Structure formats: structure tokens, C-alpha cells
Amino acid sequence: ETGVTQSPTHLIKTRGQQVTLRCSSQSGHNTVSWYQQALGQGPQFIFQYYREEENGRGNFPPRFSGLQFPNYSSELNVNALELDDSALYLCASSRQGFSYEQYFGPGTRLTVT
Amino acid sequence: QQQVKQSPQSLIVQKGGISIINCAYENTAFDYFPWYQQFPGKGPALLIAIRPDVSEKKEGRFTISFNKSAKQFSLHIMDSQPGDSATYFCAARIGGGSYIPTFGRGTSLIVHP
């Protein structure tokens, strides 16, 4: 069974640029959630996708957007990057309706300069 | 507003000692309380979880104690080992709907050999 994978591992962008982060969910999982983890903080929920539709959103501005594909993989897009967007971005997958638990990927470390 | 408050921020314990991490919550709608363990460069991984109808849950060296009336729960790591050195997050989830946990800010645990 393949776990949650994310790419890239690290990324450096300039303020104002756009970035796309990718996530492949664990086999058998149909739900993907994205989190932002600032240094020294717990993960903050960005949004969740289920069956290619957004299924919940945290307190993040619209420049944070996402997609889920038919194979349940997902993308997180961030436009107009700000310095405060520097963080570890975590993807987690789960089976909607079957489990309370999410399984996290290793994350993408984004640095905005 | 931080819905789950975690303390201490950091903890140093000698090998064989007991590590205790505390969390408090305010929202009585929370119905599931997991603890996560995160090693550097990795995403959080579920360690142990409890529901509010149980006052204690033990899995190996890890025990959750839950006090519903005080709205507090804690993680006890017995016989702490250097391999337990990691960041620990408590979390809480509101019942119903998709699984979207609210995380505490984390506790950095160092176990000295």
C-alpha cells in the first residue's frame, strides 16, 4: 500500500509569484485535505476535497485554491505569494465516511523571499 | 482564537522518565481527540486517540487521560525513550461531517539518553 506522497519537497519562490503543490493520496482514499504549518505551530486547515469538489474550507483567502482529480490526487495553488506564506504545506488523505483518521504526507517546504 | 491550548511548548525528560503533555479545549462540540507525533521532515502521524465517553485509553507506553468536565486531556509517555524525541500535537474534531481537526501548537519533546 502506497502512502501519501507530495511534490516537490522544497520550493523557493519570490513574493508575488504563483505556486502549485501536488499530492497523491493513499491507495483507497477518496478525500484529500491541505494544511499549512508555520514554523513552531500546529497545522492549520486550508481546505478539503471529496469527489473533486471542495468539501470544507478554513480561514484562508481565495488566492489559496485547489483541485482534485479523478484518481483522487490533488493540487494546491497559491497566487500572489506573500512572505507569510512561507511554511510547510501538508496533504492528508482519508476515506470519507469510513474512517475518522487522516494520513499525512511528508509535506512541501515553501519559502517565499 | 485558539480552540485547543497545548502545554508545555517544550519538554526535556531523562530516558525512562514520564513525559506529560497537556491540552485544554473550549468547544464542547468536539467529540474526538487524537494525538499526533511528528518527526523532523515528516508529516504528523496518529499516535493515539480518545472519545469523550472514555476517561482513559492506553496503547503500549502511551496513555491519554480525558477529563470532560474540565475540558482537558493529556498524553502520558511512560518509560520515555530517546526515539520518542519528536514534536507532539494534540487535536480535536467537531462531530459530524468531514474530519477536520483543530491542532494545538505542539510540544517539542527531547528525551536524553
Side-chain angles (χ1 to χ4, degrees):
Chain A
E1 185 178 79
T2 305
V4 179
T5 60
Q6 293 185 242
S7 63
T9 304
H10 297 88
L11 201 53
I12 299 175
K13 288 287 189 178
T14 303
R15 187 172 50 185
Q17 286 187 316
Q18 177 266 343
V19 69
T20 297
L21 310 181
R22 295 177 175 82
C23 170
S24 292
S25 60
Q26 183 166 317
S27 176
H29 288 183
N30 55 16
T31 301
V32 173
S33 301
W34 286 91
Y35 295 82
Q36 181 194 66
Q37 186 177 15
L39 198 61
Q41 302 292 320
Q44 298 291 315
F45 174 71
I46 302 175
F47 44 57
Q48 182 181 88
Y49 277 83
Y50 171 61
R51 290 186 175 179
E52 303 177 52
E53 297 286 334
E54 188 176 289
N55 187 39
R57 189 178 184 93
N59 189 27
F60 281 81
R63 59 189 186 84
F64 285 79
S65 63
L67 284 172
Q68 187 181 32
F69 300 98
N71 66 353
Y72 305 124
S73 66
S74 177
E75 286 183 354
L76 164 65
N77 298 290
V78 187
N79 293 321
L81 284 167
E82 301 177 359
L83 297 179
D84 285 348
D85 295 334
S86 295
L88 180 68
Y89 288 85
L90 295 163
C91 167
S93 73
S94 59
R95 290 197 298 170
Q96 190 79 313
F98 288 89
S99 171
Y100 288 113
E101 203 35 61
Q102 298 180 327
Y103 296 85
F104 286 85
T108 294
R109 173 70 63 185
L110 172 65
T111 302
V112 182
T113 62
Chain B
Q1 181 184 4
Q2 188 182 359
Q3 293 197 56
V4 179
K5 296 183 179 180
Q6 184 172 346
S7 63
Q9 186 174 351
S10 62
L11 182 61
I12 299 174
V13 174
Q14 292 297 316
K15 178 182 177 181
I18 302 174
S19 303
I20 302 174
I21 304 171
N22 300 299
C23 283
Y25 64 97
E26 298 175 359
N27 192 339
T28 56
F30 288 140
D31 75 341
Y32 180 71
F33 301 87
W35 285 88
Y36 291 85
Q37 180 187 56
Q38 186 176 27
F39 293 105
K42 303 288 186 181
L46 176 67
L47 191 61
I48 186 172
I50 197 168
R51 293 187 170 279
D53 54 348
V54 176
S55 61
E56 184 175 283
K57 183 175 181 180
K58 183 177 180 179
E59 290 184 2
R61 297 185 294 108
F62 301 91
T63 301
I64 299 179
S65 296
F66 189 87
N67 186 329
K68 188 174 182 179
S69 60
K71 292 186 286 185
Q72 296 176 347
F73 58 110
S74 60
L75 175 69
H76 292 64
I77 305 174
M78 311 300 289
D79 187 25
S80 299
Q81 299 296 312
D84 297 331
S85 298
T87 300
Y88 292 81
F89 295 95
C90 62
R93 191 208 81 148
I94 292 178
S98 54
Y99 178 81
I100 301 172
T102 299
F103 286 82
R105 289 188 174 181
T107 296
S108 176
L109 171 65
I110 296 174
V111 181
H112 284 310

